[in-house]
Amino acid sequence: MQRRYLPPLPWLTAFEAVARLGSVTEAAAELDLSQGAVSRQILKLEAQLGSALFLRVKKRLVLTPQGTAYAAEIRSAIGTIANATIGLATNPDGGTLELAILPTFAAHWLAPRLGDFASTHPGITLNLTTRIVPFDFAQERFHAAIHFGRDDWPGTGSLRLMEETILPVAAPSLVGGRHEASADLLRRVPLLHLRTRRNAWPHWFEAQGRPLERGGAMEFDQFATMLQAVLAGVGAALMPDYLVEADLAAGRLVTVPEAPPYSVGAYHLVWPEAMAAYPPLAAFREWV
């Protein structure tokens, strides 16, 4: 947050009161201030903004178009602060945790476990929103995020959740049956890529001692969609083992028997350093 752009709260509350009541006198009475104090706070706010918020018309204050738009934003922000204060005062052990999640990991690993969190922390409201790439916490509303890859998110604390092991998988019809899959055969079939992991296949083949020379492949933005394409025989893909265990056991997919386990990263819970002690986050971190 650029704090030099953040006006003092008394200036904002004075402006919001005058904008809402349409009167400096009424605003002063509501805020228990003098009319002169309210007027000075609004003048200081306008000076910082470099924009007129009111038109002075015959001793009356009329909002400018800019003032009208700004008043709506400030009223919402003050309401958020008030609600947060009320929530903390009435529910000190609860609160809201805004968590950015990776869709496949959340659906198959996190979601089945959330019932336990809800039962052990009934006062905490957990809101989940999908984000598939890192973002700037200062520009978002999130208290924490689930991150895949290296522990390299700038300005954050982190907790390692689990290593992800990936498997090359394909439909039996694509590779000729359960016993026909091999690294050499996979080099000759269409390879499907996850958009955020474009180098996964080249790295996997290099680890097998069989560098991949060709490039270009169908891309997907989520594992769930890519898995459906694999099941339909569109191509082979590198998938997390926890996501394909059931399909492998049922024979709907096959893998390369001789390929050793391969990992390209781990899942981490990450949070802005300034939020480390936030009670709902601390509770979730301890639980997870």
Side-chain angles (χ1 to χ4, degrees):
M1 178 183 294
Q2 298 293 330
R3 295 192 180 276
R4 67 178 181 274
Y5 295 121
L6 183 61
L9 186 57
W11 299 3
L12 297 175
T13 54
F15 164 66
E16 188 281 329
V18 174
R20 172 168 43 84
L21 298 171
S23 167
V24 172
T25 301
E26 292 183 31
E30 179 180 285
L31 299 171
D32 196 21
L33 297 171
S34 68
Q35 295 181 39
V38 171
S39 296
R40 286 191 296 272
Q41 288 172 342
I42 291 175
L43 289 172
K44 289 177 181 179
L45 179 59
E46 289 179 320
Q48 178 173 331
L49 296 173
S51 180
L53 299 173
F54 293 97
L55 296 175
R56 278 72 180 175
V57 181
K58 295 181 180 180
K59 297 183 179 182
R60 293 177 57 249
L61 293 181
V62 179
L63 282 167
T64 64
Q66 296 88 342
T68 299
Y70 191 57
E73 296 283 352
I74 296 305
R75 187 170 298 117
S76 175
I78 291 175
T80 298
I81 295 171
N83 289 337
T85 304
I86 294 170
L88 179 58
T90 58
N91 187 16
D93 296 322
T96 299
L97 179 63
E98 298 286 348
L99 182 65
I101 57 169
L102 299 169
T104 300
F105 178 80
H108 293 269
W109 189 90
L110 181 60
R113 295 166 167 81
L114 288 181
D116 178 70
F117 179 76
S119 64
T120 55
H121 300 84
I124 297 176
T125 300
L126 181 59
N127 296 327
L128 307 178
T129 305
T130 298
R131 290 288 187 278
I132 62 175
V133 296
F135 52 84
D136 184 355
F137 273 105
Q139 303 299 321
E140 297 274 5
R141 69 183 186 279
F142 298 110
H143 300 114
I146 302 295
H147 170 54
F148 176 80
R150 298 178 181 177
D151 185 9
D152 58 359
W153 196 315
T156 67
S158 69
L159 174 67
R160 186 185 182 92
L161 300 179
M162 61 175 283
E163 189 84 9
E164 181 188 86
T165 300
I166 59 174
L167 300 172
V169 294
S173 60
L174 186 69
V175 294
R178 179 184 296 273
H179 304 293
E180 298 299 326
S182 68
D184 286 332
L185 179 57
L186 291 180
R187 290 163 60 89
R188 302 193 295 272
V189 304
L191 300 178
L192 311 183
H193 290 247
L194 193 68
R195 187 163 298 145
T196 54
R197 305 186 189 182
R198 289 191 170 102
N199 293 322
W201 272 118
H203 289 167
W204 184 85
F205 275 106
E206 186 175 346
Q208 315 310 310
R210 299 174 174 84
L212 182 66
E213 297 177 357
R214 63 187 172 92
M218 188 180 298
E219 289 189 353
F220 298 81
D221 67 346
Q222 294 188 24
F223 275 126
T225 310
M226 188 162 68
L227 176 58
Q228 294 306 310
V230 176
L231 288 167
V234 175
L238 290 168
M239 303 291 295
D241 55 0
Y242 67 84
L243 188 58
V244 295
E245 288 174 344
D247 290 311
L248 288 170
R252 292 186 291 269
L253 293 177
V254 296
T255 187
V256 178
E258 72 273 15
Y262 184 75
S263 174
V264 293
Y267 292 96
H268 302 84
L269 175 69
V270 300
W271 58 88
E273 294 172 347
M275 293 298 301
Y278 179 55
L281 172 57
F284 182 81
R285 185 170 59 232
E286 181 179 355
W287 169 82
V288 78

